[in-house]
Amino acid sequence: MKNICLVLQYLGTNYCGFQRQKNGLSVQEVLENAILETFNQKCTVYPSGRTDAGVHAMGQVVNFFVNTTIAPEKIAIVLNLKLPKDIRVVSSCEVDLDFHSRKSAKSKTYIYKIYNGKQLSVFDQDRCLFCGYQLDLQKMNESAKYLIGTHDFSSFVASNTSTKTTTRTIFEAFFTKDENNYITFTITGSGFLYNMVRIIVGTLLEVGRGKKPVNIMQTLLEGNKRNMAGKTVKPDGLYLKQVNY
Amino acid sequence: MKNICLVLQYLGTNYCGFQRQKNGLSVQEVLENAILETFNQKCTVYPSGRTDAGVHAMGQVVNFFVNTTIAPEKIAIVLNLKLPKDIRVVSSCEVDLDFHSRKSAKSKTYIYKIYNGKQLSVFDQDRCLFCGYQLDLQKMNESAKYLIGTHDFSSFVASNTSTKTTTRTIFEAFFTKDENNYITFTITGSGFLYNMVRIIVGTLLEVGRGKKPVNIMQTLLEGNKRNMAGKTVKPDGLYLKQVNY
């Protein structure tokens, strides 16, 4: 029995999220079917974390246990033959039997893409949030700085979620803007609550528009103030960039 | 009666090309339906040129005649409300009654995108050609230079095409490569034959791989040597960038 680790890319647009669900096609279902077809074994795939419907991955990490004589680094190639083109295995390798994609992860980096120009291009549909308002990036960056450190993020969690703890550690959180009016928010943390990144971005966009003060973050990080935070922005612009071990 | 000119973007992936066809959904059909819904008038849309199935547009230009009191520059907004998100009107304006998108055009610029790295990302599927071979860009650029000027392009036309003349003028044709292994071929010409850009790219890729000599272009431009030219590359990487008037 080998523990195989995969780095995955996927376009989330056509999936109900990573996790297998009764009503809708998930990345997990498609991947587990490809593994079943390839190895003739029913394997469960363990991800570094779920991604929501519509959220993309540049570097999702998963692992699964399988009996095989295929060289671990060739598994990427054979699985790609069975996978649709919006899911790609970037690399595969064998890892220690006690490696677990989620439990072994030290941190995860998400990015959120915003187009702050005149009109969203057809090439950015489902891949980028459109924001037509003028945004004060300096204020957004000042506000984002409050996130860094270990905090109670209960103000940034979808109301219908039950989690054991809402404490998470954020290592970096900042915005950059390129010459073509694309804004990228990068956030690295020990872990993220359901919808947490999307609520953080929604809040910081309101800071950027002058609808909320820069220090709103301080208030929100006192906990349990979901109604004072911004809206949950669309999943379109969200990408799981990488998982760090 | 007003002559309305639109600049269009579209993702060609889900269409059988620009031109209306019996078997398949075309950009023209979708656009004419949106115009019918908006103005309650059946209008024919005239493009600067057809694009094939799977080919994208960053700046296709079309015109149509309509009776309306809607301000010409607002037509983009109202049409976008009726159009699917893979077709967008970038701008609209009124033009002289004798303006014709195709006949009035002085030249058109196409680009062709090639990814010359290890593996095509999910985000580039249907939008970029993957080429895993090492390519000699200098040789490709040398060979592309032969294209500039007025020539008989009958070696670069799909065999099943009937056109009055195969003479076209090319103003520029060159490759650039960025730091992320994306290669872009830019070509501007008075007009293009069916599949012409895709056969040119197919030929130049063989030059880049060393399978054909740099001066193959000279031979091909003598005319009627389709069998000596390269393959027709996939439409995925082809974009109508702009039409020049």
Side-chain angles (χ1 to χ4, degrees):
Chain A
M1 184 74 85
K2 284 175 182 165
N3 189 4
I4 300 297
C5 175
L6 308 176
V7 178
L8 283 187
Q9 281 186 339
Y10 48 83
L11 203 60
T13 314
N14 297 321
Y15 299 98
C16 65
F18 185 88
Q19 198 177 39
R20 193 182 271 271
Q21 277 177 36
K22 273 179 198 157
N23 309 309
L25 190 67
S26 62
V27 176
Q28 184 178 13
E29 182 177 339
V30 173
L31 185 57
E32 287 178 354
N33 285 347
I35 289 169
L36 177 63
E37 266 192 75
T38 304
F39 301 103
N40 209 17
Q41 288 164 63
K42 233 181 165 172
C43 306
T44 299
V45 154
Y46 303 99
S48 73
R50 312 168 190 178
T51 52
D52 298 344
V55 174
H56 317 295
M58 294 166 164
Q60 169 71 290
V61 174
V62 303
N63 71 297
F64 64 98
F65 295 90
V66 71
N67 277 311
T68 180
T69 55
I70 301 176
E73 61 280 8
K74 300 283 181 207
I75 290 175
I77 299 163
V78 296
L79 285 178
N80 279 333
L81 296 173
K82 310 279 183 189
L83 286 167
K85 58 187 172 180
D86 55 3
I87 303 178
R88 293 285 95 186
V89 182
V90 178
S91 63
S92 55
C93 64
E94 187 178 353
V95 286
D96 288 346
L97 284 174
D98 62 357
F99 173 90
H100 186 289
S101 296
R102 182 172 55 78
K103 291 175 191 163
S104 308
K106 288 209 172 64
S107 68
K108 276 187 271 187
T109 302
Y110 277 93
I111 65 166
Y112 196 93
K113 287 191 191 175
I114 299 159
Y115 180 64
N116 194 26
K118 203 181 138 224
Q119 188 185 34
L120 197 65
S121 138
V122 289
F123 307 106
D124 288 327
Q125 301 288 340
D126 302 321
R127 299 174 178 210
C128 195
L129 182 78
F130 174 70
C131 178
Y133 299 102
Q134 224 181 329
L135 294 171
D136 186 329
L137 225 67
Q138 204 186 320
K139 278 190 182 169
M140 290 160 78
N141 269 325
E142 270 178 62
S143 194
K145 266 191 196 160
Y146 288 108
L147 296 165
I148 296 165
T150 302
H151 304 283
D152 171 11
F153 284 93
S154 54
S155 296
F156 301 95
V157 67
S159 47
N160 55 345
T161 316
S162 58
T163 34
K164 282 180 221 154
T165 164
T166 51
T167 300
R168 296 291 185 277
T169 302
I170 300 299
F171 302 109
E172 58 173 5
F174 61 92
F175 290 88
T176 54
K177 187 172 182 172
D178 73 12
E179 68 274 26
N180 299 314
N181 291 317
Y182 287 95
I183 292 172
T184 303
F185 178 59
T186 302
I187 187 164
T188 300
S190 60
F192 295 92
L193 302 165
Y194 183 54
N195 281 356
M196 177 170 150
V197 180
R198 291 163 59 188
I199 301 170
I200 287 174
V201 171
T203 306
L204 291 169
L205 282 175
E206 294 191 23
V207 170
R209 288 176 62 185
K211 294 239 169 187
K212 286 195 197 298
V214 167
N215 64 8
I216 182 76
M217 277 298 166
Q218 254 184 319
T219 315
L220 293 169
L221 290 170
E222 288 164 8
N224 288 316
K225 297 191 171 65
R226 175 66 189 93
N227 61 328
M228 286 180 67
K231 279 184 208 158
T232 307
V233 289
K234 292 203 292 181
D236 304 36
L238 189 58
Y239 297 73
L240 173 54
K241 195 183 173 196
Q242 62 181 52
V243 188
N244 311 300
Y245 293 93
Chain B
M1 185 74 88
K2 283 175 181 164
N3 190 5
I4 300 297
C5 176
L6 308 176
V7 178
L8 284 186
Q9 281 185 341
Y10 49 82
L11 203 59
T13 314
N14 297 320
Y15 299 97
C16 65
F18 185 88
Q19 197 177 40
R20 193 181 271 272
Q21 277 178 36
K22 274 178 198 157
N23 309 310
L25 189 67
S26 62
V27 176
Q28 184 177 14
E29 182 178 336
V30 173
L31 185 57
E32 288 177 353
N33 285 346
I35 290 169
L36 178 63
E37 265 192 76
T38 304
F39 301 103
N40 208 19
Q41 288 163 63
K42 233 180 164 171
C43 305
T44 300
V45 154
Y46 303 99
S48 73
R50 312 168 191 178
T51 52
D52 298 343
V55 174
H56 318 294
M58 294 167 164
Q60 169 70 289
V61 175
V62 303
N63 71 298
F64 64 99
F65 296 90
V66 72
N67 277 310
T68 181
T69 55
I70 300 176
E73 61 279 9
K74 300 282 182 209
I75 291 176
I77 299 163
V78 296
L79 285 178
N80 279 333
L81 296 173
K82 311 278 184 189
L83 288 167
K85 58 188 174 181
D86 55 4
I87 304 179
R88 292 285 94 185
V89 183
V90 178
S91 64
S92 55
C93 63
E94 189 179 353
V95 286
D96 288 344
L97 284 173
D98 63 355
F99 174 89
H100 187 289
S101 297
R102 181 172 54 79
K103 290 174 191 163
S104 307
K106 287 208 174 64
S107 67
K108 275 187 272 187
T109 303
Y110 277 93
I111 65 167
Y112 197 94
K113 288 190 191 175
I114 298 159
Y115 181 64
N116 194 26
K118 203 182 140 223
Q119 188 186 32
L120 197 64
S121 137
V122 287
F123 307 104
D124 288 326
Q125 300 288 340
D126 301 321
R127 300 176 178 208
C128 196
L129 182 78
F130 174 70
C131 178
Y133 298 103
Q134 222 181 332
L135 295 170
D136 186 329
L137 225 66
Q138 204 185 322
K139 277 189 182 170
M140 290 160 79
N141 269 324
E142 270 178 61
S143 193
K145 267 191 194 159
Y146 288 108
L147 296 165
I148 295 165
T150 302
H151 305 283
D152 172 10
F153 283 93
S154 54
S155 295
F156 299 96
V157 67
S159 48
N160 55 344
T161 316
S162 59
T163 34
K164 282 179 219 154
T165 165
T166 51
T167 300
R168 295 291 186 275
T169 302
I170 299 298
F171 303 109
E172 59 173 5
F174 61 92
F175 290 87
T176 54
K177 187 171 181 172
D178 73 11
E179 69 274 26
N180 299 314
N181 291 318
Y182 288 96
I183 292 172
T184 302
F185 178 59
T186 303
I187 187 164
T188 300
S190 60
F192 296 92
L193 302 165
Y194 183 55
N195 281 356
M196 178 171 148
V197 179
R198 291 162 58 188
I199 300 169
I200 287 174
V201 171
T203 305
L204 291 169
L205 281 175
E206 293 192 23
V207 170
R209 288 177 60 186
K211 294 240 168 187
K212 286 194 196 299
V214 167
N215 64 7
I216 182 76
M217 277 297 166
Q218 255 184 319
T219 316
L220 293 169
L221 290 170
E222 290 164 6
N224 288 315
K225 297 191 171 66
R226 175 65 189 96
N227 61 329
M228 284 180 68
K231 278 186 209 158
T232 306
V233 288
K234 291 204 291 181
D236 305 36
L238 189 57
Y239 297 73
L240 174 53
K241 194 184 174 194
Q242 61 181 53
V243 189
N244 311 300
Y245 293 94

